[in-house]
Amino acid sequence: MDAPARTGASNAEKGASRATDKQRTSWTAWWVAYAQAAPMALVFLLFFILPLLATFVVSFWNYTEYSIEPAFVTTNYQDVFYGCVARLPGLCTTFATYLSTLKFVAIVWAATLAIGFTIAYFLAFHVRTLPMQIALFMVCTIPFWTSNVIRMISWIPLLGRNGLVNEILLSVGLISSPLEWLLYSDFAVALALVHLYTLFMVVPIFNSMMRIDRSLIEAAYDGGASGWQTLTNVIIPLVKPGILIGSIFVVTIVTGDYLTIGIMGGQQIASVGKVIQTQINFLQFPIAAANAIVLLAVVLLTIWGMLRLVDIRKEL
Amino acid sequence: MAAKTVAREEKRPRSFYALALFFALFVVFLYGPVVTILTLSFQGPSGGLTFPMNGFSFYWFERLWGGGGTVDIGTAFRRSFALGLTVMVLTVVISVSAGLAFRKKFFGSTALFYVAIASLIVPSIVVSLGIALEFRIVDDVLRPALASIGLVSPRGNSLGLFTSGLGAHLSWTLPFGLLIMFAVFNRLDKSYEEAARDLGASNWQSFRYVILPMIAPFLIGIALFGFTLSWDEIARSSQTMGSTNTLPLELAALTTTVTTPEIYALGTSVTAVSFTVIFGTLAAFFLLQRRRRRRAMTED
């Protein structure tokens, strides 16, 4: 794969293929495309669209201690936002939970972007041969194929009270008693999230970088730009789509996360997902559904804002 | 291209070494913790959750698989494996089919694409709850009707491994499959198909003998995604498995209750399966590539 040459060619191909589309359809029956798309459409209808509709409908239902009943009440939403207006400028439970989540989103986004960009930059511009690039890229992706839970619990022997980090710090004499904030804390949650999701930044940014025509960078150098100027004026603008795709992934994953925050926070830190899960466990489906709809709205608004900046389909 | 490579070969900028060091640290950060629990799962019988190692043994593995432990791992293991294989096959077939559809124009293609992206991005807990609610409603509404004509038993629920569970996993794996198909087909020259066409191949023949051999290596990638995403999936499984538990669900439950290296032994076992599947498929991929290259050379 000759990346630079390919980038140049692919745009031309796209133009050409658009022109030939009409001819092509003439030798394929019109219904073939529908038949081919149908299985996927059906799966998404049954296991994504209808479930979301069901959630929306149930969020207006009534519930008692024993049962849930069809109705049209807004009490669930009132419960979700209970005290949110009255208690201003203080924070109600829901706002406080979202604020706590927002804090993790900001930290994790900044950290994964900084690390992900650096790693992708190294792979794309400093590793010279394609086989080496692929090999090092694989090294980064392999942990992604293992269970998230395992990658979370693997921090326990390192960060625990008697863990490796504390043992080392104690033996060196830097601290006199074990640090308590290493595990089951905000720190542990942020660390685990960065550990789990940096790859989601590396992949799209690396993809964007590999599509940059190398002659643009040569031209920048020939024009007298320093390495830093090339980075900020040529490379960063060109990989913006990759950065945005990675950001969308990381931001939405962290917003909806409940497992990492649960396990790494020692079940002590609030998150929207955890609230929903607790309500499901108590069979309070309608209020869980209302919370889910609010969470969905927050996530969709965030993505909508980010998507206005990039057209994902052109970037693949 | 070659000339440029040679010119660049002359000197490495100083930033290279700084970045190489950063990359090395990143790899340590990625692998360090996992290596730690892989090591600790071989703790001696008196060993604890942290270092030091009190001897080396397979004690915790024996406890885990001997049934003397806390959970019935064997059943959950087989369940997850069966589901993973099913998801893998369906993901490949459905993704390729949809990928082919997207090469043509059809009404609703943009909508389907955005739905796929949305399915990837909507928080899993929301999807999981939604599927559970959908199945409950269907049970409430349809089951009495179906039971009255004797098709199903009047009691019970439809939530289960191969109903709601399978659907939940597909809603997670298919977007990945579709995105890979996009990446593949965007780079696949259409003139091959047109050549096949011109030589009189039918639709099916041009797919079977021209397109399929060209995209086969990427299908292995989709299969890999399908299996491992399902094998490790937990957030979408949480509400959709009914009364059954998959392996990751058992594992997550254990994090709050088990205080022995048994949980590391389970973690090591799960990772071992993932790695066997990954490296097995990658080996298959390279064999396929080599065979193809050899065949291409002999035909020349």
Side-chain angles (χ1 to χ4, degrees):
Chain A
M1 285 227 281
D2 186 6
R6 202 154 272 279
T7 333
S10 72
N11 284 330
E13 273 166 30
K14 267 179 208 160
S17 69
R18 216 165 283 145
T20 53
D21 268 343
K22 277 200 192 96
Q23 296 161 24
R24 239 179 356 88
T25 44
S26 63
W27 41 262
T28 311
W30 65 270
W31 53 266
V32 171
Y34 291 93
Q36 286 169 334
M40 181 169 281
L42 190 69
V43 169
F44 285 133
L45 177 71
L46 285 180
F47 298 104
F48 182 64
I49 308 278
L50 287 179
L52 291 187
L53 280 176
T55 311
F56 186 71
V57 169
V58 172
S59 73
F60 293 101
W61 285 13
N62 234 333
Y63 66 99
T64 66
E65 274 170 59
Y66 315 103
S67 64
I68 59 174
E69 299 150 1
F72 186 80
V73 293
T74 53
T75 46
N76 300 313
Y77 288 97
Q78 284 163 19
D79 287 348
V80 169
F81 292 110
Y82 178 75
C84 287
V85 180
R87 225 181 286 172
L88 282 173
L91 289 171
C92 58
T93 321
T94 300
F95 283 0
T97 310
Y98 275 96
L99 192 69
S100 156
T101 305
L102 186 70
K103 181 186 68 186
F104 287 120
V105 169
I107 297 171
V108 174
W109 177 74
T112 51
L113 178 59
I115 300 172
F117 186 90
T118 314
I119 295 298
Y121 181 79
F122 173 74
L123 288 178
F125 296 113
H126 282 279
V127 180
R128 283 167 183 168
T129 60
L130 188 68
M132 196 58 178
Q133 276 176 331
I134 293 174
L136 291 181
F137 184 74
M138 285 297 294
V139 166
C140 293
T141 48
I142 284 172
F144 173 73
W145 305 101
T146 65
S147 161
N148 280 358
V149 179
I150 293 164
R151 293 176 70 196
M152 284 176 221
I153 59 173
S154 62
W155 285 106
I156 294 172
L158 294 177
L159 301 179
R161 176 184 255 275
N162 302 315
L164 211 54
V165 173
N166 269 326
E167 299 274 309
I168 290 172
L169 290 178
L170 278 172
S171 65
V172 174
L174 274 174
I175 50 170
S176 53
S177 60
L179 298 174
E180 298 283 352
W181 54 263
L182 285 178
L183 192 61
Y184 305 132
S185 60
D186 285 6
F187 169 78
V189 172
L191 184 73
L193 287 171
V194 171
H195 187 228
L196 290 174
Y197 301 126
T198 300
L199 185 76
F200 285 110
M201 278 290 191
V202 175
V203 173
I205 297 178
F206 179 66
N207 180 44
S208 290
M209 283 179 174
M210 291 301 279
R211 294 157 65 102
I212 294 179
D213 191 339
R214 291 302 191 271
S215 55
L216 289 176
I217 293 162
E218 302 278 330
Y221 279 120
D222 291 347
S226 69
W228 181 254
Q229 283 171 324
T230 313
L231 181 69
T232 52
N233 291 315
V234 180
I235 297 174
I236 290 182
L238 286 173
V239 299
K240 232 178 223 164
I243 293 176
L244 267 156
I245 294 172
S247 302
I248 288 173
F249 269 105
V250 169
V251 167
T252 52
I253 287 176
V254 177
T255 311
D257 175 89
Y258 69 97
L259 261 174
T260 319
I261 295 181
I263 292 177
M264 298 310 284
Q267 311 293 341
Q268 297 301 311
I269 299 171
S271 76
V272 192
K274 222 167 121 47
V275 170
I276 296 173
Q277 209 203 10
T278 312
Q279 287 161 345
I280 295 172
N281 290 344
F282 285 104
L283 299 178
Q284 301 170 330
F285 291 110
I287 187 163
N291 262 310
I293 293 296
V294 173
L295 174 62
L296 185 64
V298 169
V299 168
L300 288 183
L301 270 178
T302 315
I303 299 162
W304 179 76
M306 291 168 121
L307 267 183
R308 286 176 65 87
L309 300 166
V310 64
D311 180 359
I312 291 189
R313 199 138 75 137
K314 285 204 189 106
E315 299 306 324
L316 289 165
Chain B
M1 194 65 203
K4 201 194 293 174
T5 319
V6 172
R8 275 220 230 139
E9 208 71 58
E10 282 166 3
K11 63 176 169 60
R12 295 246 190 226
R14 209 178 306 152
S15 58
F16 168 82
Y17 297 99
L19 286 170
L21 180 68
F22 186 86
F23 182 82
L25 288 175
F26 178 67
V27 171
V28 170
F29 172 66
L30 275 187
Y31 286 82
V34 182
V35 171
T36 313
I37 69 156
L38 296 191
T39 316
L40 283 172
S41 60
F42 295 99
Q43 270 282 23
S46 59
L49 279 172
T50 54
F51 286 107
M53 294 280 284
N54 280 334
F56 176 91
S57 75
F58 292 95
Y59 174 79
W60 300 105
F61 287 96
E62 282 160 20
R63 230 176 99 96
L64 178 73
W65 293 103
T70 15
V71 284
D72 182 9
I73 288 305
T75 315
F77 198 91
R78 280 192 295 276
R79 219 179 263 151
S80 276
F81 201 77
L83 183 63
L85 288 182
T86 315
V87 170
M88 179 179 92
V89 172
L90 287 176
T91 304
V92 172
V93 173
I94 297 175
S95 301
V96 172
S97 174
L100 289 170
F102 273 99
R103 301 200 87 191
K104 313 173 185 82
K105 281 210 170 84
F106 65 97
F107 178 75
S109 61
T110 315
L112 183 58
F113 173 75
Y114 279 117
V115 166
I117 296 294
S119 183
L120 194 61
I121 281 169
V122 165
S124 292
I125 181 82
V126 176
V127 179
S128 190
L129 169 66
I131 293 176
L133 288 174
E134 178 193 37
F135 272 70
R136 268 163 221 275
I137 294 172
V138 167
D139 270 344
D140 284 350
V141 177
L142 285 188
R143 193 172 278 274
L146 290 179
S148 66
I149 52 170
L151 273 178
V152 292
S153 74
R155 281 150 188 267
N157 69 64
S158 317
L159 282 169
L161 195 64
F162 283 102
T163 53
S164 50
L166 178 62
H169 280 203
L170 286 177
S171 78
W172 175 234
T173 57
L174 286 182
F176 284 95
L178 184 65
L179 289 180
I180 298 176
M181 284 321 297
F182 268 20
V184 171
F185 280 144
N186 274 357
R187 288 164 172 76
L188 190 71
D189 198 337
K190 276 185 181 146
S191 47
Y192 288 108
E193 280 163 285
E194 276 158 24
R197 259 290 130 180
D198 293 344
L199 293 171
S202 70
N203 270 336
W204 170 252
Q205 283 171 324
S206 86
F207 172 72
R208 171 64 188 82
Y209 297 106
V210 179
I211 300 181
L212 191 60
M214 280 196 287
I215 63 173
F218 303 98
L219 300 194
I220 293 175
I222 297 179
L224 210 55
F225 262 97
F227 181 82
T228 53
L229 287 175
S230 163
W231 177 249
D232 296 327
E233 158 55 36
I234 178 158
R236 286 188 196 213
S237 308
S238 63
Q239 313 303 329
T240 53
M241 289 301 168
S243 53
T244 55
N245 258 357
T246 59
L247 204 52
L249 287 173
E250 296 280 12
L251 188 64
L254 288 179
T255 58
T256 51
T257 52
V258 174
T259 51
T260 62
E262 204 177 325
I263 190 167
Y264 297 154
L266 178 54
T268 302
S269 310
V270 175
T271 312
V273 171
S274 298
F275 277 23
T276 311
V277 172
I278 296 166
F279 289 114
T281 356
L282 285 179
F285 173 83
F286 284 118
L287 277 179
L288 201 73
Q289 290 286 76
R290 217 170 62 183
R291 216 182 59 182
R292 179 182 297 176
R293 207 172 303 142
R294 207 181 305 141
R295 203 189 299 159
M297 275 161 81
T298 51
E299 275 166 18
D300 282 343

